[in-house]
Every structure is written in structure tokens, then in C-alpha cells.
Amino acid sequence: MILSKYNLKRINVEGVEVPAEHLFELPEKVLQFGTGVLLRGLPDYYIDKANRAGIFNGRVVVVKSTDTGTVDDFGKQDNLYTIYSKGIVNGGQVSEQLISSAISRVLSAANEWDEILDVARKPKLKVIISNTTEVGIKLVKEDVRKHPPVSFPGKLLAVLYERYMAFNGSPDSGLVIIPTELIVDNGKKLEAIVLELAHLNKLEPDFMDWLESSNSFCNSLVDRIVPGRPDNASKDELESKNGYTDNLGIMAETYSLWAIEGDDKIKEVLSFGQVDEGVVITPDIELFRELKLRLLNGTHTLCCAFAYLSGFKTVKDAMDDAQFTKFITQLVFDEIRPAIPYKIDDVVATDFANKVLDRFRNPYIRHEWLSISVQYSTKIKMRVIPLLLNYYKLNNTVPACMAKGFAAFIRFMRVKAGDEGQYTGTIDNEEYKVTDSQAGYFAKVWENPDSDAVIQNILKNKDLWDADLDILPGFTAAVIEQFKQVNKG
């Protein structure tokens, strides 16, 4: 049988949490731009959990903004879906199976724009959430009276203007707007774009005042690995055990964090934050951004090429190897943790670092190193270079693990141009695809057969790193030496 509201009463399996009937009657309080698995596995997870506890008491209307795909599966399943979460906490395995009833409707922006504007007129609406990828938060000069506007900021502005008109600019009708796109200061950037777009559309000054004074655009940071649907074998096993078919089910790690920049007024609106310690509402989320960017993302980035060159396809594969685990532990605790360019209590940093290693060991999440390598050089620049420079500032000596990570990265980026602008590298006669905006530069520099000269040229390139890494005492020599060890044919 398919997962649906009607069939819920027929699901009686130990370990599967089924929503109570009254949850379907809760009012729509959230408008969400994006149907992706991260939103369904993180914000919607928290909202559903709060609803079950009788706290937030509101459901989510989801806007599908893209033209690809359909919303048919959501309709067939009454917008229900299962979140299968598994992970490692304090060395022990934990799991949860939850049928989420957070979503009330999924509306297509292309075909149901009037219904979306009708949601904007609902008195109970309190929150707007988005995840439209980093590309989504960009200014597109357009008429927001289009049906619908093209860009996400255009759609958001149209919704806010509709609400302003419906409530005559009442201060109480303002909303809390939380983008989750993975860019720094996402809330502030979205607000600036919406304001500029409002000016371009010559919207009235009273609306502009209401937009700025009655609405709160919150910076936020999301952190949870949500790979998406289970693989076919896992899906078949779960459906056989649970007795129902779920075409919207998603896998997720146990760990979750949603850090939101806000004050007590924001906390009151976002009452779902009371039910899970993973929701953190605080006036400054920079601490959480630095912890995630350096200890989680920075570690991933510095380990990626070394792991792939060592023959490991996934993070879990690498963590099963004693030598690699020794390397990554030394990297995290001895080099990255003390070099974070932000004042962080050592106890807090150590706790986060331990959680990172637990997450890497998660046997239930298939996180591929090649997917982590996408836009590799940009990730090195944003996540690693500040750590490297600060490590030298504190110690004025070579961080051995960072040098190895850099050497492996340079070897990984020994690429050649192929058809249709694609670039590939080769390890042990096996080709791999490199998706990186700087791949052309690396292909060109590697035309030189002298690897020592290539490494020095790459490290000296200020356009790549915004710094000359060749001037760091001993770093170039260490990278050259490590390159000899990690280099493979």
C-alpha cells in the first residue's frame, strides 16, 4: 500500500512514528520556497516535531519554483513522507523513522501562482523559508507583477507586497524570513536584493517602510547531511519491513543544526526551536558558521583528494582505514581546531570536532569524495587558506597534515581538457571527472612536466588564493615532498 493519510491507520510497525489525526487540521503558518530534501529533512523535520509536542502548531505550504518534475508524488501521498535517520552519537548507533505531516500542500509557481498569493493573505502565516541554491539569491531586474516573477527574490517580493496590500500595511502582518542557502549573511543579502528590486519596481514608500520595519530577514546556517531517497535495495527492504510504499522517503544523518540569527521576538515566532537542541536562535551565528566551515567543511576539503588518491570512494570507506583515521584525527585536533580564525572556547571546539568524526563514521550515509570535490579550488580558498595562514601566524611552522592535503589536491587537479569543456584526471588508469571553475588553469599549468615548478607556480598564484603561499616558511618544500608520496599514475 502507498503511504497516505487514509492508510496511516493500517501502519502499526514498531519504531515507525505515525502522525496523529489532529495534526492535519493545524493552520498553515509557513510558506516554503523549495521542495528539496534538505528543507524536508531539516526545517520541516523540526516543525513536525514541534507540532507533535503541541508547540508550534502550524503546517508548511511548499512552493515548487522550478519547471522540472512534477508535484504528483506529493499529491498521491497527501504530502506525507518518511524521514529515515541513522547515525553515531557518542560512539553508539541511533536511528529514527518518522512519518512527517509537516507539509499541507505543494503548489507550483508556474501553474498555481494565484493560490500562492492567497497564502500570503492568510492571517496565520508567520514564516517564510527558502532553499533555492546559492544561485537563487541574486538580483534579476524584472517586473514583480508578472504571473509569476522569474527569480526567487522577485517571487518573495510579490508575496510580501500582496500581504502588505491585504492587511493595509499593519505592523503585525510582517513575517520572519529565513533563507537557508549556503552563503554568508544570506538573510542580509536577500533583504538587500528585495529592497533594491522594490525600488526598481517603484513600489510606494509606505510599502518600503513596512518591508524594512515589520519584517525580519534572518541569517541562518543549516547543517545536516540529507542524501535523499534510499537506494533501491534499502528502499525495498524498508518498504517490505514497514508494509507501505513511500516515493518521497528520505535518508538523513542523526546530527542536525539550524542556527538562526534573531532576538527574543524571533524566538517567540519560531517556537518550534523549543523542541530540539539542534535549533539555535541567537543574535550572532558566526560561531556556528566558523565551526561548520572549518571543522566540518575544511576537514572534508583537506581530506578529499588524499582519500580519493588512496582508493576510497566514500567518507565511511576512508574512516574504516586505521591509517586514514589517524591522519584525519591529527588534522582535526592538532591543526584545524587551534587555527580557527575566530575566538572559540576550546571545550566547544573539541565537542564539535568529536561530533564531526562521529558523522564521518556514519555507516548509513554514502557521502562520496567525488561529490565533495565539486568546485574544489574555491573550497580550498574559502575553507582552508584562512586556517593555513592563521596556523602560520600562531606557530610559524609547517602544518604537516595541511601540506599533505594540499599536495593531494594539486595531484587531483592534474587534469586534461576533454569534449564540451569537461575536464578529467586519471588515477591508476581510472578516469574521474573534475568540476571546477579553475580546471582550465590547472590543465594549462600541468602542461609543464616539472612537478616541482608546477607546485610552486600554483602556491604563488594570488589570483587563486588571495595570498602568496610560497612565502610561508617551508610550506612549498613540504608540499613538494608530500606530492612525491601521494603521486599516482
Side-chain angles (χ1 to χ4, degrees):
M1 64 180 177
I2 193 167
L3 176 60
S4 66
K5 184 180 176 183
Y6 176 79
N7 286 328
L8 283 178
K9 60 181 177 292
R10 301 169 61 188
I11 299 173
N12 185 21
V13 182
E14 184 179 355
V16 178
E17 296 184 48
V18 178
E21 187 73 23
H22 74 275
L23 297 177
F24 295 93
E25 307 304 321
L26 295 176
E28 296 172 334
K29 288 187 177 181
V30 181
L31 183 62
Q32 173 176 297
F33 286 85
T35 61
V37 295
L38 178 63
L39 289 177
R40 292 197 286 126
L42 191 66
D44 297 347
Y45 167 78
Y46 292 133
I47 291 168
D48 184 72
K49 190 173 180 179
N51 288 343
R52 291 167 186 265
I55 293 178
F56 182 67
N57 296 321
R59 302 183 79 198
V60 182
V61 180
V62 175
V63 178
K64 185 182 184 303
S65 296
T66 60
D67 295 330
T68 57
T70 70
V71 299
D72 291 348
D73 281 338
F74 287 94
K76 290 174 183 176
Q77 297 188 186
D78 297 319
N79 305 301
L80 296 167
Y81 62 96
T82 312
I83 303 174
Y84 307 100
S85 59
K86 291 185 176 183
I88 307 294
V89 177
N90 297 324
Q93 296 184 6
V94 295
S95 64
E96 179 184 53
Q97 293 185 65
L98 177 78
I99 297 176
S100 174
S101 59
I103 297 174
S104 60
R105 292 183 284 164
V106 178
L107 300 174
S108 165
N111 304 316
E112 298 170 298
W113 186 241
D114 285 334
E115 286 90 334
I116 294 167
L117 293 180
D118 182 61
V119 174
R121 296 188 287 267
K122 288 184 176 291
K124 295 282 188 180
L125 185 66
K126 299 294 181 185
V127 182
I128 293 180
I129 303 170
S130 72
N131 193 302
T132 56
T133 77
E134 293 86 320
V135 178
I137 301 187
K138 288 190 177 178
L139 177 65
V140 175
K141 297 179 180 179
E142 60 175 324
D143 183 354
V144 298
R145 297 172 183 83
K146 285 182 181 177
H147 218 76
V150 174
S151 68
F152 162 58
K155 293 181 177 73
L156 175 59
L157 178 57
V159 164
L160 292 172
Y161 188 68
E162 187 72 22
R163 188 167 183 82
Y164 166 81
M165 297 293 289
F167 294 96
N168 297 313
S170 166
D172 295 336
S173 63
L175 303 173
V176 175
I177 299 143
I178 318 171
T180 66
E181 290 80 358
L182 296 176
I183 57 176
V184 178
D185 292 335
N186 45 19
K188 291 178 182 177
K189 288 181 179 177
L190 179 59
E191 181 179 21
I193 291 170
V194 170
L195 285 168
E196 185 172 354
L197 196 52
H199 280 293
L200 291 171
N201 278 265
K202 297 181 171 56
L203 300 180
E204 55 264 43
D206 286 348
F207 168 72
M208 303 291 290
D209 292 340
W210 175 84
L211 183 60
E212 291 193 77
S213 63
S214 299
N215 297 274
S216 300
F217 288 77
C218 302
N219 294 328
S220 88
L221 172 76
V222 289
D223 187 7
R224 192 180 202 185
I225 299 172
V226 187
R229 295 185 181 186
D231 58 49
N232 290 335
S234 298
K235 186 174 185 290
D236 291 343
E237 181 182 348
L238 287 166
E239 291 180 349
S240 175
K241 178 182 176 183
N242 295 337
Y244 63 87
T245 300
D246 183 357
N247 292 318
L248 296 170
I250 55 175
M251 302 295 293
E253 66 171 336
T254 301
Y255 178 88
S256 65
L257 171 70
W258 192 11
I260 302 168
E261 222 161 65
D263 54 19
D264 289 340
K265 182 181 176 182
I266 300 297
K267 280 187 180 180
E268 186 177 348
V269 176
L270 307 180
S271 58
F272 54 77
Q274 300 172 29
V275 301
D276 195 297
E277 63 180 13
V279 183
V280 180
I281 303 170
T282 179
D284 184 0
I285 65 170
E286 186 66 15
L287 165 66
F288 300 96
R289 192 183 79 84
E290 282 294 318
L291 284 170
K292 178 180 184 291
L293 188 65
R294 309 307 175 192
L295 283 170
L296 178 70
N297 301 136
T299 302
H300 264 151
T301 301
L302 276 166
C303 291
C304 181
F306 179 47
Y308 194 77
L309 289 169
S310 301
F312 304 119
K313 302 301 183 185
T314 70
V315 176
K316 175 60 170 57
D317 291 341
M319 293 301 292
D320 285 340
D321 181 82
Q323 284 299 112
F324 187 87
T325 298
K326 181 180 178 181
F327 166 78
I328 197 172
T329 302
Q330 183 179 341
L331 172 68
V332 169
F333 285 98
D334 296 347
E335 296 185 10
I336 293 180
R337 183 188 58 168
I340 296 173
Y342 185 86
K343 189 174 181 180
I344 298 174
D345 184 276
D346 191 56
V347 173
V348 173
T350 299
D351 178 65
F352 193 89
N354 282 319
K355 288 177 178 175
V356 164
L357 295 183
D358 275 348
R359 296 170 71 184
F360 285 5
R361 294 186 187 101
N362 190 343
Y364 308 108
I365 299 297
R366 183 174 177 80
H367 205 181
E368 296 186 353
W369 288 113
L370 273 183
S371 68
I372 294 171
S373 75
V374 172
Q375 296 302 341
Y376 205 162
S377 57
T378 298
K379 289 175 179 177
I380 290 277
K381 178 180 179 180
M382 300 299 295
R383 301 170 176 180
V384 175
I385 299 304
L387 288 168
L388 176 64
L389 297 179
N390 201 45
Y391 187 93
Y392 264 94
K393 181 179 178 182
L394 296 171
N395 303 288
N396 198 35
T397 188
V398 177
C401 294
M402 289 191 196
K404 178 171 283 189
F406 230 102
F409 158 73
I410 292 173
R411 169 58 186 87
F412 182 88
M413 295 300 293
R414 192 166 75 189
V415 297
K416 293 183 179 180
D419 296 333
E420 300 178 359
Q422 292 188 343
Y423 292 86
T424 57
T426 304
I427 295 174
D428 292 334
N429 297 317
E430 181 180 326
E431 276 197 351
Y432 56 92
K433 182 181 176 182
V434 172
T435 304
D436 192 300
S437 58
Q438 297 293 338
Y441 161 77
F442 283 95
K444 182 69 176 175
V445 76
W446 269 115
E447 290 176 0
N448 185 345
D450 184 350
S451 62
D452 290 5
V454 170
I455 291 169
Q456 187 171 33
N457 285 336
I458 291 171
L459 295 181
K460 288 175 69 72
N461 192 329
K462 289 185 179 181
D463 291 334
L464 274 181
W465 317 123
D466 287 339
D468 181 352
L469 306 182
D470 185 47
I471 67 173
L472 299 175
F475 189 65
T476 299
V479 173
I480 289 173
E481 183 60 32
Q482 290 292 344
F483 183 87
K484 295 174 183 176
Q485 297 180 32
V486 302
N487 187 26
K488 291 195 173 189

